[in-house]
Amino acid sequence: MKEQNYLIVDLGLPSGIKWADRNVGAENPWDNGLYFSWGNVDGHTVDENGNTTDGYSFDENTYVTTFGGQYTSSTLDAEHDAATVNMGSNWRIPTPIEISELVKNTEHYYIDLKGNIIAGPFNYGTNESDKVLDGYKKLRSICFVKKGEVFDYDNRSNFIEFPFTGCCKGNILIYKGICSTVWANSLGIGETKDAQDLYFDGSGELRICGEYGDRYYGRSIRGVIF
């Protein structure tokens, strides 16, 4: 994998946690980056047609034979943490609590496919974005901006951008531009086949690990650091 220049962004969060400016494997903050099953540290890219470039298939039968598929703990250790392995020992995948903190303590803006701000600012729990974006077909990204500060898309000192990366099932990328899920470091509660994540979509829906995703799916990874 090409070495990436991950920047640390301080959003003034209560815990002091800081976030990377881009997904693992992404050349730019608005790029997809690599797709990972939960607990696996080898990511996979997709081509312009939405197929995995190495032919890897994100399916349950394949997953159970992999490093992550055989992992039995409820939270990821360093050896199974794709952020730690791919970004460096100081980085790691966020916990569900840290994802919740990010969403609740930032303002949210939506970016269209041309890179224009089309909606925001919104705060979590108001349902304002649902009303504005309902029925919107495709988007580039959602930006989480430090509260109380001006959002300038060209000045990346006070926000992080999450692209609508979709997810991989089998060897196909699905839902790009429509929704995205970003892994947390924990399994679903009482569900060893599922893991928690951050979900957002083009209708304005934003869930903080409220539902769990099958571990074998290919999803994005974003690192955090103290």
Side-chain angles (χ1 to χ4, degrees):
M1 183 184 72
K2 179 181 177 181
E3 184 175 350
Q4 305 299 335
N5 182 27
Y6 300 103
L7 301 180
I8 299 170
V9 182
D10 186 354
L11 298 170
L13 300 173
S15 69
I17 284 287
K18 301 172 181 63
W19 286 71
D21 69 325
R22 65 197 67 194
N23 289 341
V24 171
E27 189 169 344
N28 300 293
W30 52 86
D31 293 336
N32 291 3
L34 298 169
Y35 292 85
F36 298 83
S37 294
W38 192 84
N40 281 333
V41 298
D42 293 325
H44 303 271
T45 59
V46 297
D47 61 25
E48 59 185 12
N49 296 315
N51 302 308
T52 55
T53 55
D54 60 1
Y56 181 82
S57 182
F58 289 92
D59 64 73
E60 195 164 10
N61 290 333
T62 299
Y63 179 67
V64 296
T65 69
T66 66
F67 187 55
Q70 297 175 359
Y71 186 62
T72 58
S73 295
S74 60
T75 58
L76 296 174
D77 60 14
E79 291 183 347
H80 290 81
D81 189 312
T84 303
V85 172
N86 289 278
M87 300 175 68
S89 60
N90 292 328
W91 293 94
R92 58 176 175 77
I93 292 175
T95 67
I97 290 174
E98 289 162 350
I99 290 176
S100 176
E101 177 191 55
L102 169 71
V103 173
K104 291 180 178 179
N105 289 278
T106 54
E107 294 179 330
H108 314 138
Y109 291 78
Y110 291 80
I111 309 298
D112 70 12
L113 294 176
K114 296 181 179 179
N116 300 312
I117 303 167
I118 61 164
F122 301 116
N123 292 300
Y124 179 74
T126 62
N127 295 322
E128 293 172 311
S129 58
D130 291 22
K131 298 173 185 176
V132 173
L133 294 170
D134 186 34
Y136 207 95
K137 297 303 181 184
K138 285 194 175 183
L139 294 169
R140 173 193 278 186
S141 57
I142 182 174
C143 294
F144 295 90
V145 183
K146 187 175 182 179
K147 281 196 173 181
E149 296 198 0
V150 175
F151 175 40
D152 178 356
Y153 191 65
D154 295 321
N155 176 10
R156 295 184 171 268
S157 63
N158 66 348
F159 76 94
I160 56 174
E161 180 174 7
F162 283 91
F164 281 75
T165 58
C167 63
C168 288
K169 184 178 182 181
N171 62 354
I172 301 295
L173 177 64
I174 56 177
Y175 304 130
K176 178 174 169 54
I178 298 172
C179 69
S180 188
T181 46
V182 182
W183 286 127
N185 77 336
S186 302
L187 291 180
I189 299 172
E191 292 287 344
T192 59
K193 69 180 183 64
D194 297 331
Q196 300 187 50
D197 54 43
L198 166 65
Y199 172 89
F200 51 92
D201 66 28
S203 71
E205 185 172 0
L206 181 62
R207 294 200 300 260
I208 309 169
C209 304
E211 294 189 9
Y212 311 126
D214 289 310
R215 291 168 55 172
Y216 68 85
Y217 272 62
R219 307 184 194 276
S220 302
I221 298 287
R222 182 67 63 102
V224 296
I225 194 171
F226 271 112

